[in-house]
Amino acid sequence: AHDHILLLVSLYLCSCVAWEVPELLHEWKFLNFTFQSPQDYNNFMQSGYYKNCMLAGVKMTRSGDTFVSVPRWKAGVPATISKLVTLPSGETLLQPFPSWEMNDISNPNGIKSVLGFEIDSFNRLWILDQGRIESKTANYGDIKLLIYDLKMTTLIQKYIFTDEEATFNSSFLNDIVVADTEGWAYITDSGIGLVPLHGGLLSYNLKTNSVRRILNQHFSTQPDMQMWLSIDGSPVLSNAPMQTGADGIALTPDFKTLYFCPLTSHTLYSIGTSYLQDWDLSQDAVADAVVVIGDKRSASDGLACTNAANDSLFFTSLEGDGTFFLNVTDMSISVAMTDSIGMLWSDTIGFDHQGSIVVVTNRLWKFVQDELNFDDFNFRIWKLWVDANSYLDPK
């Protein structure tokens, strides 16, 4: 079945770009943490909670530190945002950031569940806290945006979302990009808690510490209801199609254009950021500014622009088992990297700031159905030389 998929891919993808061979940076059968005691580790293993931890996001600092997210979609996740540390034995563990205390779900001010986050050029970590643990309704204060100064490991800004901005029972804050020098951030909400879904975007103003929700249930933030995503020739989810709204998001290096897409869709959209920053505009005026870029011929979880151009981006290809490169001007697509075993469900794209992208792969659809084999390698971080850096890096 997979050979058939690759054949179809080859029919429409441009092969004119010569890409390097990807490098495997890390791989895990299951995630392990820098537990505070042997007893904590034993409880983690004996309870089976290690099966509830899925690697999701990855971003790197300019000095080479790697941060990852592990959302609390299931019970017993020890920490939801961590920095990778490698022991002398070679084992790579997750060290909770900024502390175990802040990752404690019983801490009313703690970090609840993180999927998307970003590290900007000022060495600030923008943490998007979904707030909802195991898909339960969040309390006020749980769904929030936290901004940390990584040099000092101090919290420098906090925004608490209201129920109108990110509903406590159905929001699914997915990913974030930041225009750091301008003081803006843009967020996707997949809105997967209700039927019909409440997909949307949010615009955050750092100077005023305020948010506006836009494109709520707009066609560009809603899933394709006719689409049943298939990976490796098999449908994702056995009972019903996976319906996920606005997910992938990418900002051009000039900060003028925002690209985004629902996960359950092949269509890429864009909007000028001037429409996201002018809060005097009506919702209809913002909706009218959405541009249908076109069919990228694959469902995507992650998007990312580099600092090289405003008319191209990388996107993870769920059906194509890898990461692809799209020229928006002519909609030509090339396969940057693919692996029918090691890159199943390519999720988040980050940068090493040394000319390469880094990508998490995690077999997410198997994880949500409790079908992962923990005797096999499930979670990986790949690196690929692309001769470009983050949209936040200087050219």
Side-chain angles (χ1 to χ4, degrees):
H2 185 73
D3 292 340
H4 177 63
I5 294 174
L6 288 181
L7 176 60
L8 292 178
V9 168
S10 67
L11 293 178
Y12 65 76
L13 295 181
C14 167
S15 59
C16 54
V17 179
W19 298 98
E20 301 288 331
V21 176
E23 175 187 352
L24 180 61
L25 294 181
H26 305 281
E27 64 179 349
W28 298 264
K29 294 179 179 179
F30 63 89
L31 301 178
N32 195 2
F33 298 78
T34 58
F35 288 102
Q36 296 174 293
S37 71
Q39 185 59 47
D40 289 344
Y41 169 75
N42 290 335
N43 291 341
F44 176 66
M45 297 302 296
Q46 291 168 8
S47 65
Y49 284 150
Y50 70 93
K51 297 180 180 179
N52 292 350
C53 300
M54 185 202 75
L55 191 69
V58 61
K59 303 293 177 181
M60 295 182 67
T61 67
R62 278 74 185 163
S63 60
D65 289 333
T66 301
F67 286 78
V68 296
S69 62
V70 182
R72 287 188 166 115
W73 297 341
K74 299 181 182 181
V77 176
T80 187
I81 181 79
S82 301
K83 183 172 76 172
L84 296 186
V85 293
T86 301
L87 304 180
S89 65
E91 182 181 10
T92 300
L93 303 180
L94 279 65
Q95 176 180 289
F97 178 88
S99 63
W100 276 104
E101 178 185 6
M102 280 300 293
N103 277 271
D104 187 341
I105 60 172
S106 65
N107 181 349
N109 296 312
I111 306 171
K112 303 303 180 183
S113 183
V114 178
L115 176 58
F117 64 99
E118 182 60 288
I119 299 173
D120 70 16
S121 62
F122 298 108
N123 206 30
R124 297 178 302 195
L125 174 62
W126 299 59
I127 299 175
L128 188 60
D129 192 345
Q130 293 186 318
R132 300 177 59 214
I133 298 174
E134 300 174 60
S135 300
K136 298 174 183 175
T137 299
N139 297 315
Y140 176 78
D142 290 345
I143 304 175
K144 54 190 176 288
L145 176 65
L146 304 172
I147 306 176
Y148 277 88
D149 180 334
L150 287 176
K151 182 178 180 180
M152 304 301 293
T153 319
T154 53
L155 180 65
I156 57 177
Q157 187 65 283
K158 178 178 181 178
Y159 182 81
I160 296 175
F161 293 93
T162 66
D163 189 51
E164 291 73 27
E165 294 161 349
T167 56
F168 298 166
N169 68 340
S170 66
S171 66
F172 191 90
L173 300 188
N174 197 309
D175 209 352
I176 180 172
V177 290
V178 300
D180 53 2
T181 58
E182 297 182 354
W184 288 88
Y186 311 108
I187 296 163
T188 49
D189 182 358
S190 301
I192 61 175
L194 294 176
V195 178
L197 305 187
H198 284 236
L201 299 184
L202 297 106
S203 177
Y204 170 75
N205 186 328
L206 177 62
K207 180 183 292 186
T208 61
N209 198 33
S210 54
V211 160
R212 187 191 194 195
R213 185 178 181 91
I214 47 185
L215 302 179
N216 185 61
Q217 290 190 300
H218 186 261
F219 68 83
S220 64
T221 63
Q222 295 294 94
D224 178 352
M225 300 301 292
Q226 306 303 313
M227 178 179 170
W228 195 319
L229 179 62
S230 178
I231 296 180
D232 236 15
S234 300
V236 170
L237 304 187
S238 55
N239 297 325
M242 176 180 285
Q243 298 291 347
T244 304
D247 186 324
I249 189 169
L251 185 61
T252 55
D254 63 5
F255 297 164
K256 292 182 179 180
T257 303
L258 187 76
Y259 296 110
F260 62 98
C261 64
L263 185 145
T264 312
S265 172
H266 285 179
T267 305
L268 180 69
Y269 302 93
S270 75
I271 187 170
T273 54
S274 61
Y275 297 96
L276 308 181
Q277 296 178 11
D278 186 351
W279 292 1
D280 291 329
L281 288 176
S282 68
Q283 291 284 351
D284 287 343
V286 176
D288 288 342
V290 171
V291 177
V292 180
I293 297 296
D295 183 358
K296 55 186 172 58
R297 304 182 181 94
S298 175
S300 304
D301 205 337
L303 305 178
C305 289
T306 72
N307 61 347
N310 295 308
D311 61 353
S312 60
L313 55 84
F314 287 93
F315 66 91
T316 61
S317 171
L318 300 184
E319 293 101 322
D321 303 335
T323 301
F324 294 178
F325 180 76
L326 170 67
N327 184 314
V328 176
T329 302
D330 61 9
M331 291 304 290
S332 61
I333 300 171
S334 62
V335 179
M337 59 178 175
T338 184
D339 188 307
S340 61
I341 297 176
M343 295 184 186
L344 293 174
W345 201 287
S346 296
D347 197 319
T348 302
I349 303 173
F351 295 86
D352 74 346
H353 312 287
Q354 300 294 322
S356 297
I357 59 171
V358 289
V359 180
V360 162
T361 63
N362 57 23
R363 302 183 178 182
L364 181 148
W365 89 106
K366 295 283 188 182
F367 172 81
V368 298
Q369 297 183 107
D370 298 320
E371 294 178 353
L372 284 184
N373 176 6
F374 289 93
D375 292 325
D376 192 8
F377 287 102
N378 294 301
F379 313 119
R380 295 175 172 90
I381 299 177
W382 296 88
K383 182 171 98 169
L384 178 70
W385 172 261
V386 298
D387 197 23
N389 289 310
S390 164
Y391 68 99
L392 293 170
D393 291 330
K395 288 188 177 181

